[in-house]
Amino acid sequence: NEKDGLQNCDFNLRAIKTMDDGTIVAGGLYGLNVFNPDYIRYNKMLPKVMFSNLSLFDEPVEVGRRYDHNLILPEELDKVRKIVLDHKQNIFTVELATDNYILPSKTQYLYRLDELGDEWLSLAAGTNRITFTNLSHGSYTLSVRAINSDGFQGTDVAQLSIIVRPPFWLSWWAYLCYSLVVVVALWFARRLLLKREREKFHIQQMEQEAAKNEEVNQMKFRFFTNISHELRTPLTLIISPLEELLVKESDEARKTVLQLMYRNARRLLALVNQLLDFRKGEMSGHQLSLSEVDIVSYIREICNSFLLMADNKHIQFSFFSGVECFPMAFDADKVGKIVMNLLSNAFKYTPDGGRVTVMMEYIEEENEWMEIKVSDTGIGIPDADKQHIFERFYQAPHKGMEETTGNGIGLSLVHDFVQLHGGSVEVFDNIGAGTVFVVRLPVRHVDVAAVLPEPLVVLPESEKTTEAMAEQTSRKEFPLLLVVDDNADFRMFMQHSLELQYRVKLASDGEEAWNMMQDELPDLVISDVMMPVMDGIELCRRIKADKRTAYIPVILLTARQAVEATVKGLEIGADDYVTKPFNMMVLVLRIRKLIEQSRYRHATHAVIDPTPSDIVITSLDEKLIEKAIKYVEDNISRSNFSVEELSRGLGMSRVHLYKKLLQITGKTPIEFIRVIRLKRAAQLLRESQLHVSEVAYEVGFNSPRYFSRYFKEEFGMLPSEYQEKGGINKSF
């Protein structure tokens, strides 16, 4: 190498010689190289490193120039010993130099980046450039030292501070903003949480207050309902004796007084019923019971009941109808209450000498309507009150007139009952003075005929039970009645009313009655529903569940008029359901018929046993049973098949179906459906390969366990036993 003093070519093989003075001669292609080892001197100067230049993306960085608004070198690099770069300027090269001028090309550099480790890295001899790529943001210290051509390493370490700025989203102020955002978010979250908690607490307070108010309202409703129910029993003790006295009274003057008492007692009963209707609407809503009735004659009869009131107040009362007769489907009970409430209001607010008119008109538009108008010439209703009069408890003030009694629920019930029919009710000013209420009911038709309340009937002499007839028969042969009621006055009244025709025993509650029945079985039981210790429902259930007493007819008496209560009583096996107050003569007829039917069934056991698909049609009753069996068989796999659906399918009311099936088969509709299911199950167990659980589901039972229980009750053995025996007992 020329820089080392040697020729820059190959030497000849074995062309070397040591002279006597120690000089070494080496022969090469370009001549001889002569040197004496004793005169060779080593470079012992320790090199110091200097930072000579900086390149950014392979371009030299000039002093004082800004790169992307960043002044990298305000002075020479070796003077500042510090560079500050943006996060995008992270590819750069640092060039090195030393103060060793002897063979500088042989100088070797060692470096390390302190933040990345303690290990020293070496550059190749003659290389004086260090390049960094994709250096992350942060602060670094570049340490460099050098080794000269003779291998002497410098002790001084040159350091260069390198700062790579973070991107704006990672800068300290960005973190400060992030922190502020987090703090603000937490503050808002806390505020929102506190707000929601306050709102939740406020809602809970409102709910608690509403629940408290509702509880108070329910307590009031229960109080009024209980009072209303309690009123029905003394009303029974007033109305029933009055009816009896009216039948027997021949003196016209006394009869007029009795009729006055009777009318006002019935009026009091109507007010009690109205309060009970309102309570029922508050609790569970009203149910519509449609039946086909001549609405014109029905409303005409209601209007006739107001003729005496019109005569007493000298009010001209008229009834007009555009049609003489018009059968349609409506709820007779609710339409009657609609008309009676409207007429009561009309007579109440019409002065003496005024006029009240009821007009009916059939309207045939896009839909058919029956329109009922009740107009009066009374004090009228201000326009401001017209929009509120159908609200509950609202009573409009009446100027120029004495304060009238009322409770503000009559027109509310009118509105509810009309809406229940799908109709409308409106109020207008009458021409001249007064008010006109217009009720529109949609015209519909059903196949069910209504059973309207029967008028007071006086039995002919041949039907009456006289003392002479009673004397001809020993009282021991009289049917025995058991009357159960917690009201002592009512028990005395029933005993007084029935003792001429029957032997009567009295009990104050269901448990006492049941204990009395263990000593002597009565021919019929008359029981109130609401009693302490044991109520009438439980007593009826016990009577019908015991084989010794199941044939005894049970009549339930109650103050509840709801159809649902009647259905519930009949479902548990009651033979009849009578609401207070009742007509004693009608009750006596019911008692007589039930005792006759009971004795006939008990003596002959002449009932038709329903068997699927095997009944021969020989009578109307058997035709009904065949139709019922066919309907049950068509729906036998449906577990949700109900008595209501069966009654609709047969075109009968539920109560009528109950009485008819019980009379013919001795079974209630629920028992009838169950027997058909069980007998079909017996056929499947005998003739098919189905498993017991499959048979259970096939005949409409949701649970094989209940199926097994009812099957054993009906056939005396479990389904599995019956299947194993192959249906040996075919008499089942």
Side-chain angles (χ1 to χ4, degrees):
N1 191 311
E2 294 179 353
K3 295 181 180 179
D4 294 338
L6 299 176
Q7 55 181 306
N8 191 18
C9 65
D10 294 335
F11 288 91
N12 293 325
L13 188 63
R14 293 186 296 274
I16 186 170
K17 173 66 175 178
T18 302
M19 308 301 292
D20 293 339
D21 58 356
T23 300
I24 297 175
V25 180
L29 296 178
Y30 295 158
L32 297 175
N33 286 83
V34 180
F35 63 94
N36 191 329
D38 295 333
Y39 297 106
I40 294 176
R41 299 290 182 269
Y42 291 99
N43 181 13
K44 296 182 179 182
M45 181 179 176
L46 301 179
K48 294 181 179 181
V49 178
M50 295 176 292
F51 298 99
S52 61
N53 197 7
L54 176 67
S55 298
L56 185 63
F57 299 107
D58 291 333
E59 293 184 8
V61 177
E62 300 177 6
V63 176
R65 180 181 174 184
R66 292 182 178 273
Y67 295 85
D68 293 334
H69 307 290
N70 180 28
L71 182 61
I72 299 177
L73 293 178
E75 296 183 84
E76 293 293 338
L77 180 61
D78 195 54
K79 290 183 178 180
V80 296
R81 294 292 180 96
K82 179 181 179 181
I83 58 174
V84 179
L85 303 172
D86 288 336
H87 71 283
K88 295 181 179 179
Q89 299 172 335
N90 57 356
I91 301 177
F92 58 93
T93 300
V94 178
E95 297 183 9
L96 308 173
T98 64
D99 57 356
N100 176 35
Y101 298 104
I102 300 174
L103 297 176
S105 60
K106 298 292 186 178
T107 302
Q108 185 177 13
Y109 296 94
L110 302 176
Y111 73 96
R112 72 179 180 187
L113 211 55
D114 293 346
E115 283 69 16
L116 299 182
D118 297 333
E119 183 180 356
W120 289 89
L121 304 176
S122 61
L123 297 175
T127 302
N128 65 336
R129 294 166 60 91
I130 305 175
T131 301
F132 297 95
T133 60
N134 297 325
L135 199 61
S136 301
H137 65 88
S139 298
Y140 304 91
T141 301
L142 176 63
S143 300
V144 184
R145 58 187 180 184
I147 302 174
N148 63 16
S149 57
D150 289 331
F152 291 92
Q153 182 175 307
T155 58
D156 293 338
V157 178
Q159 292 183 331
L160 176 65
S161 178
I162 302 173
I163 298 175
V164 179
R165 293 171 179 168
F168 71 91
W169 60 86
L170 296 176
S171 60
W172 65 269
W173 54 267
Y175 281 108
L176 179 61
C177 291
Y178 298 154
S179 302
L180 290 175
V181 169
V182 171
V183 170
V184 171
L186 291 175
W187 180 76
F188 271 107
R190 181 178 179 274
R191 183 177 178 183
L192 181 61
L193 184 62
L194 292 175
K195 182 180 179 182
R196 288 183 177 178
E197 289 297 325
R198 284 193 296 268
E199 291 176 351
K200 185 177 179 182
F201 178 72
H202 182 61
I203 292 174
Q204 288 178 347
Q205 281 187 322
M206 293 176 62
E207 290 177 349
Q208 291 175 357
E209 185 177 354
K212 185 178 180 180
N213 292 336
E214 179 65 20
E215 184 179 358
V216 173
N217 289 334
Q218 291 302 321
M219 289 177 62
K220 294 178 182 178
F221 280 130
R222 283 194 297 270
F223 170 75
F224 283 112
T225 304
N226 292 336
I227 290 295
S228 302
H229 280 292
E230 291 297 326
L231 287 174
R232 294 179 68 86
T233 297
L235 278 173
T236 302
L237 300 177
I238 295 173
I239 294 175
S240 295
L242 282 175
E243 290 176 343
E244 186 176 351
L245 290 174
L246 281 170
V247 173
K248 297 178 180 179
E249 187 58 54
S250 58
D251 187 286
E252 289 299 327
R254 296 182 61 182
K255 193 170 186 178
T256 301
V257 175
L258 291 175
Q259 287 176 343
L260 176 64
M261 297 168 61
Y262 181 74
R263 282 196 305 272
N264 283 277
R266 298 293 297 185
R267 181 167 177 251
L268 179 59
L269 176 62
L271 293 174
V272 171
N273 290 339
Q274 182 166 274
L275 183 58
L276 293 177
D277 285 336
F278 174 73
R279 169 64 172 164
K280 177 187 175 185
E282 285 289 318
M283 292 301 295
S284 59
H286 299 285
Q287 300 295 325
L288 198 62
S289 178
L290 295 178
S291 53
E292 193 79 9
V293 183
D294 178 10
I295 191 171
V296 176
S297 61
Y298 178 67
I299 294 180
R300 182 184 289 111
E301 288 298 323
I302 296 175
C303 293
N304 289 340
S305 65
F306 284 84
L307 290 175
L308 185 59
M309 181 185 295
D311 186 56
N312 291 336
K313 294 189 68 175
H314 305 288
I315 293 176
Q316 182 182 352
F317 182 37
S318 305
F319 174 83
F320 300 101
S321 176
V323 289
E324 184 66 25
C325 174
F326 194 86
M328 61 176 283
F330 62 95
D331 191 319
D333 176 64
K334 293 178 175 57
V335 170
K337 290 172 181 176
I338 290 171
V339 177
M340 292 193 70
N341 271 292
L342 293 178
L343 285 176
S344 297
N345 280 346
F347 280 99
K348 182 187 299 184
Y349 298 114
T350 300
D352 292 356
R355 185 177 68 254
V356 175
T357 306
V358 176
M359 292 181 289
M360 298 183 65
E361 182 181 0
Y362 169 65
I363 299 176
E364 188 174 7
E365 298 174 346
E366 184 178 351
N367 297 317
E368 296 180 279
W369 300 93
M370 176 55 70
E371 187 175 80
I372 306 169
K373 294 181 181 179
V374 179
S375 61
D376 61 68
T377 57
I379 60 175
I381 301 175
D383 293 338
D385 296 322
K386 284 187 175 68
Q387 56 184 340
H388 299 293
I389 60 173
F390 295 113
E391 297 176 3
R392 291 173 182 174
F393 307 117
Y394 182 81
Q395 288 182 278
H398 305 288
K399 295 181 180 180
M401 184 178 182
E402 294 183 2
E403 190 68 25
T404 58
T405 59
N407 47 36
I409 64 175
L411 291 179
S412 171
L413 287 175
V414 169
H415 179 268
D416 291 345
F417 290 163
V418 172
Q419 290 289 327
L420 195 63
H421 280 82
S424 63
V425 56
E426 297 177 284
V427 58
F428 305 96
D429 291 330
N430 198 1
I431 298 175
T435 307
V436 179
F437 284 89
V438 180
V439 175
R440 278 193 167 194
L441 300 178
V443 175
R444 288 183 282 184
H445 299 280
V446 295
D447 295 331
V448 180
V451 181
L452 299 178
E454 297 179 2
L456 184 61
V457 178
V458 180
L459 296 177
E461 290 297 326
S462 61
E463 296 278 338
K464 295 183 180 178
T465 304
T466 63
E467 295 182 2
M469 294 174 61
E471 292 176 355
Q472 294 175 2
T473 308
S474 173
R475 292 195 61 84
K476 291 184 179 180
E477 297 179 3
F478 284 9
L480 176 61
L481 304 184
L482 177 57
V483 178
V484 191
D485 198 289
D486 58 337
N487 187 290
D489 290 338
F490 184 80
R491 294 198 300 270
M492 287 180 58
F493 167 72
M494 292 294 289
Q495 185 176 23
H496 172 74
S497 302
L498 299 171
E499 63 183 357
L500 292 179
Q501 306 172 57
Y502 304 99
R503 290 180 295 142
V504 181
K505 280 190 174 184
L506 305 177
S508 59
D509 58 67
E511 185 173 353
E512 181 183 352
W514 181 251
N515 293 333
M516 293 173 65
M517 292 178 66
Q518 308 308 310
D519 299 330
E520 184 178 7
L521 295 178
D523 293 281
L524 184 138
V525 177
I526 302 174
S527 174
D528 189 20
V529 172
M530 299 177 65
M531 296 182 295
V533 185
M534 182 191 295
D535 60 16
I537 299 292
E538 181 60 29
L539 174 61
C540 181
R541 185 179 288 110
R542 286 196 182 186
I543 292 173
K544 296 303 181 181
D546 195 320
K547 293 182 179 180
R548 299 173 303 156
T549 60
Y551 69 93
I552 298 176
V554 178
I555 297 178
L556 293 180
L557 302 179
T558 183
R560 297 180 177 178
Q561 282 192 317
V563 176
E564 293 81 359
T566 305
V567 172
K568 182 179 180 182
L570 295 176
E571 280 182 344
I572 64 168
D575 296 86
D576 211 337
Y577 201 93
V578 179
T579 58
K580 300 177 183 178
F582 50 83
N583 187 298
M584 180 55 70
M585 293 184 182
V586 176
L587 179 62
V588 169
L589 285 176
R590 290 181 176 179
I591 292 172
R592 184 184 304 172
K593 292 298 181 182
L594 285 175
I595 291 177
E596 290 176 358
Q597 293 174 6
S598 173
R599 287 182 173 179
Y600 177 75
R601 290 199 304 265
H602 189 57
T604 63
H605 298 283
V607 296
I608 300 173
D609 186 20
T611 302
S613 302
D614 293 331
I615 292 179
V616 179
I617 305 174
T618 59
S619 68
L620 293 177
D621 288 343
E622 289 182 346
K623 287 181 179 179
L624 172 63
I625 298 302
E626 184 200 38
K627 188 176 180 182
I629 292 173
K630 180 65 168 58
Y631 201 92
V632 173
E633 286 181 338
D634 292 341
N635 298 273
I636 199 167
S637 62
R638 290 175 48 212
S639 60
N640 60 348
F641 180 67
S642 63
V643 176
E644 288 85 357
E645 188 173 347
L646 176 60
S647 63
R648 287 196 303 269
L650 298 177
M652 305 171 64
S653 67
R654 179 169 179 165
V655 175
H656 189 198
L657 176 65
Y658 177 93
K659 292 181 178 179
K660 199 67 178 175
L661 285 181
L662 192 63
Q663 178 185 358
I664 299 173
T665 67
K667 299 183 184 297
T668 65
I670 293 177
E671 294 171 343
F672 180 89
I673 295 173
R674 187 187 304 145
V675 165
I676 299 300
R677 294 182 189 275
L678 292 173
K679 291 192 176 184
R680 175 63 72 201
Q683 293 175 355
L684 292 173
L685 290 172
R686 291 196 308 264
E687 302 171 6
S688 71
Q689 302 297 320
L690 296 176
H691 191 266
V692 172
S693 60
E694 295 174 328
V695 172
Y697 293 122
E698 186 71 19
V699 297
F701 283 89
N702 282 330
S703 169
R705 182 165 59 89
Y706 288 113
F707 167 69
S708 299
R709 189 185 74 182
Y710 286 123
F711 192 94
K712 186 174 182 180
E713 289 178 1
E714 182 70 20
F715 300 119
M717 64 178 66
L718 293 172
S720 55
E721 299 174 4
Y722 184 87
Q723 192 175 39
E724 289 175 359
K725 294 179 181 180
I728 295 176
N729 194 349
K730 298 295 179 69
S731 63
F732 292 154

